[in-house]
């Protein structure tokens, strides 16, 4: 005869705030003030409550705390693509800064798609995140600007200038780009191709300004046909570099203004059997492991992504404490790092 199945052992109930109050011999209000880090609790009572919490293994209900305080103690960060190492570095340093104040961080890639950005903003609002850092896909899309202005959370823009009423942390792309192009011009290059994203975001416009200023300094202008501005993707760079290299008068140098663009350019050069810098010189508009460890190493415009991440985190924390602050601004400097990828034109 088969044995009847044994009864499942029930888990003991989780300790409650009332259990903590009884164990510490204090009121529910005192426990609540200790849990929420309120200052009006004596050290002796605080120690009793914390001892009871440890002994019982009590864990406060984060959702209930969020409803009571109207804060989730979570921020969000949206960048174009988190697989790009330098953008991951930004988010990592932002997280480290927020850890000091007990805040968590949600991170997401937007892939520079408006609908994706719209969906993320709605999702973060439902999750009651306390603030957002975002590198938007466009500063000229009125739909996106409206969503940002009407968002019910503090927003810090990453490397964007608009909407102007929002806090922003930016990079001085023009200075580093101007130095890079000036170096190529000094080597004798005159046909310098520029591949980058669309000029709907300020980093592209600022880099173009740096290029134009470098040419103007020696009384020249960049040929508009050498500007290919449409995407930050590897495929776009490969396609446009191929077209330029196959033209009757190909460029003698390339400036690729975006981390994911460099692999596309290198692919196009490899397919044509062209070597750097013997046949063509190359400068990347951002540092990457590929640029650093390529043979020869690729000259780059470099800046500190981690410092920008820390600044963005501090801006959100200040905005939470003082909503009426004037718009906060930070600008990270850039430097041109010449390496073995540049030489006089053939």
């Amino acid at each position: 005869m088969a044995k009847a199945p044994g009864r499942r052992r029930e888990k003991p109930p989780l300790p409650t705030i009332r259990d903590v109050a009884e164990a510490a011999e204090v009121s529910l209000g005192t426990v609540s003030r200790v849990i929420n880090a309120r200052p009006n609790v004596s050290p002796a009572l605080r120690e009793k409550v914390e001892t009871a919490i440890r002994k019982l293994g009590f864990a406060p209900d984060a959702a209930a705390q969020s409803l009571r305080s109207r804060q989730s103690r979570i921020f969000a960060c949206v960048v174009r693509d988190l697989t790009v190492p330098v953008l991951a570095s930004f988010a990592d340093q932002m997280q480290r800064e927020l850890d000091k104040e007990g805040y968590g961080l949600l991170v997401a890639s937007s892939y520079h798609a408006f609908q994706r950005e719209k969906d993320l903003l709605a999702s973060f609002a439902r999750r009651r995140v306390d603030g957002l850092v975002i590198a938007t896909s466009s500063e000229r899309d009125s739909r996106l600007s409206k969503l940002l202005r009407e968002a019910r959370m503090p927003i810090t823009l990453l490397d964007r200038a608009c909407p102007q009423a929002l806090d922003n942390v930016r990079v001085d792309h023009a200075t580093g780009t101007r130095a890079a192009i000036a170096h190529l011009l000094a080597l004798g290059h005159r046909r310098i191709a520029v591949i980058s994203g669309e000029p709907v975001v300020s980093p592209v416009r600022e880099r173009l300004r740096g290029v134009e200023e470098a040419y103007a300094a020696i009384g020249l202008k960049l040929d508009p046909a050498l500007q290919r501005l449409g995407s930050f993707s590897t495929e776009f760079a490969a396609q446009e570099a191929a077209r330029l290299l196959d033209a009757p008068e190909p460029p003698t140098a390339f400036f690729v203004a975006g981390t994911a663009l460099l692999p596309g350019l290198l692919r196009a050069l490899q397919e044509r059997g062209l070597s750097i810098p013997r046949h063509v010189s190359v400068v990347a508009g951002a540092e990457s492991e590929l640029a650093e460890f390529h043979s020869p190493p690729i000259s780059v415009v470099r800046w500190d992504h981690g410092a920008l991440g820390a600044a963005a985190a501090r801006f959100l924390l200040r905005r939470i404490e003082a909503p009426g602050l004037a718009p906060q601004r930070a600008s990270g400097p850039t430097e041109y790092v010449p390496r073995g990828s540049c030489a006089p034109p053939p």
Side-chain angles (χ1 to χ4, degrees):
M1 185 174 182
K3 290 184 179 180
R7 299 180 64 182
R8 180 180 296 176
R9 296 176 65 183
E10 295 183 1
K11 293 182 179 179
L14 294 174
T16 66
I17 189 172
R18 187 176 298 279
D19 295 329
V20 174
E22 291 176 357
E25 298 180 336
V26 298
S27 68
L28 290 173
T30 298
V31 177
S32 177
R33 287 193 292 274
V34 171
I35 292 172
N36 292 287
R38 300 291 185 234
N40 54 335
V41 181
S42 71
L45 285 180
R46 187 179 301 277
E47 177 60 28
K48 288 182 68 175
V49 172
E50 290 175 348
T51 298
I53 287 173
R54 288 192 298 270
K55 183 177 179 181
L56 294 172
F58 172 73
D61 185 332
Q65 284 184 297
S66 173
L67 289 171
R68 287 193 297 270
S69 67
R70 296 182 179 270
Q71 284 190 338
S72 63
R73 298 196 70 80
I74 294 175
F75 289 124
C77 176
V78 176
V79 295
R80 183 180 76 249
D81 186 351
L82 279 166
T83 64
V84 177
V86 289
L87 296 180
S89 171
F90 174 92
D92 178 71
Q93 195 57 48
M94 185 179 168
Q95 175 69 79
R96 291 174 185 273
E97 196 71 18
L98 294 175
D99 281 346
K100 300 174 187 177
E101 303 298 327
Y103 281 80
L105 181 66
L106 298 174
V107 293
S109 300
S110 70
Y111 310 114
H112 265 198
F114 167 74
Q115 188 59 49
R116 169 75 172 162
E117 291 168 316
K118 180 181 178 181
D119 292 344
L120 286 171
L121 283 167
S123 173
F124 294 146
R126 289 194 299 270
R127 293 177 182 225
R128 304 171 64 89
V129 302
D130 293 331
L132 168 67
V133 171
I134 183 170
T136 57
S137 59
S138 174
E139 294 171 282
R140 296 176 178 174
D141 188 325
S142 59
R143 301 169 301 166
L144 183 53
S145 294
K146 185 173 186 289
L147 286 173
L148 295 173
R149 290 194 304 269
E150 294 178 354
R152 296 183 179 181
M153 68 181 79
I155 292 178
T156 294
L157 300 174
L158 169 58
D159 218 8
R160 302 291 184 265
C162 295
Q164 295 181 354
L166 300 180
D167 301 330
N168 68 53
V169 291
R170 299 175 63 190
V171 177
D172 178 15
H173 294 286
T175 297
T177 300
R178 184 167 56 247
I181 302 301
H183 180 224
L184 291 172
L185 292 170
L187 289 171
H189 294 277
R190 294 298 180 264
R191 295 186 57 74
I192 304 171
V194 177
I195 301 178
S196 189
E198 293 182 272
V200 294
V201 291
S202 53
V204 176
R205 298 193 299 272
E206 287 299 294
R207 284 166 171 148
L208 290 177
R209 180 166 68 86
V211 173
E212 292 165 358
E213 289 175 354
Y215 268 83
I218 60 171
L220 297 176
K221 286 187 178 181
L222 172 66
D223 181 354
L226 295 176
Q227 296 183 16
R228 302 301 171 94
L229 312 174
S231 169
F232 288 107
S233 73
T234 299
E235 291 71 22
F236 176 77
Q239 169 188 297
E240 295 305 318
R243 289 175 176 172
L244 288 163
L245 290 167
D246 294 341
E249 291 186 77
T252 61
F254 281 84
F255 176 67
V256 283
T259 305
L261 299 175
L262 180 58
L265 169 61
L266 295 179
R267 183 197 307 166
L269 293 174
Q270 184 181 46
E271 288 172 352
R272 284 155 183 77
L274 301 176
S275 63
I276 302 170
R278 179 184 174 191
H279 298 110
V280 64
S281 292
V282 173
V283 176
E287 181 67 285
S288 67
E289 288 187 352
L290 174 59
E292 186 176 2
F293 297 113
H294 184 270
S295 181
I298 305 297
S299 302
V300 297
V301 176
R302 184 169 65 190
W303 63 93
D304 188 343
H305 283 82
L308 287 178
R314 290 193 293 268
F315 278 8
L316 287 179
L317 292 168
R318 287 181 198 143
R319 184 62 62 188
I320 290 289
E321 294 297 323
L325 275 178
Q328 303 175 92
R329 303 283 185 258
S331 179
T334 54
E335 62 172 338
Y336 171 54
V337 183
R339 293 172 176 156
S341 64
C342 297

